[in-house]
Amino acid sequence: MAIQIGVAPFPPVSGAFGDRRLFLCRPGDPMLIGWWTDDQCGHEQAEDGPICLVIGRRASSADLDRLHSRFGVPMESLIEFRLRAQGSRAALRRQAREALKARGIERFAVLYVKDGQEHRSPWFSSRERAQAARAVLKAKHGAAVVYAD
């Protein structure tokens, strides 16, 4: 997911390539045109789009310094963006789940047995919908329970 951080410091250009908005992006972001790897760092801009500063998880400090000097983005922001990307996917999901729980947001699924194997329904955001799904699955397959995560 791209994060807008400001505008480029150079003078405006009219017509094509005139969009001076700056976005921090990770390799693989749908906003990007090119193919970037996790050890790369640079920038790209489509003809009518904003400037995307691409920072991979293993980008070098020298590459970050180049972006800092060219676009005037604070070095601390670039380093923080790179460090946030270095956490494992599981750790990031766990942090997001804990943040939702801290706000009182839970998700629910229904566990049921079908042909001797345990299955799980898709996630529901409300307990009421999960209970309704449980009633349907219980009538169809026998035992079913609501699981809260």
Side-chain angles (χ1 to χ4, degrees), residues 8-142:
F10 29 85
V13 179
S14 61
F17 300 102
D19 192 345
R20 295 178 28 215
R21 292 177 298 156
L22 288 174
F23 283 85
L24 289 177
C25 302
R26 304 215 188 287
D29 193 296
M31 190 177 213
L32 300 174
I33 298 166
W35 178 260
W36 294 83
T37 62
D38 270 344
D39 57 345
Q40 291 180 314
C41 182
H43 67 281
E44 72 174 41
Q45 182 179 21
E47 182 177 359
D48 57 349
I51 300 168
C52 296
L53 305 180
V54 185
I55 300 174
R57 288 178 166 86
R58 295 182 303 272
S60 69
S61 295
D63 290 337
L64 294 179
D65 192 45
R66 265 194 359 251
L67 290 178
H68 164 69
S69 61
R70 169 120 193 230
F71 295 101
V73 178
M75 191 67 170
E76 298 81 27
S77 298
L78 297 174
I79 291 171
E80 179 186 349
F81 190 76
R82 180 184 62 183
L83 289 176
R84 277 193 290 156
Q86 289 176 344
S88 70
R89 181 173 291 244
L92 294 174
R93 284 185 178 171
R94 187 171 41 255
Q95 288 172 356
R97 199 168 34 245
E98 288 170 1
L100 290 174
K101 281 186 180 179
R103 292 190 178 121
I105 299 172
E106 291 182 301
R107 60 185 189 160
F108 306 92
V110 179
L111 300 175
Y112 61 98
V113 177
K114 177 182 173 186
D115 299 328
Q117 287 191 338
E118 184 178 290
H119 293 275
R120 180 184 56 82
S121 71
W123 291 103
F124 298 99
S125 58
S126 72
R127 186 178 297 271
E128 292 78 24
R129 288 192 180 207
Q131 289 292 351
R134 184 191 69 79
V136 170
L137 290 170
K138 183 178 179 182
K140 188 173 184 181
H141 299 291

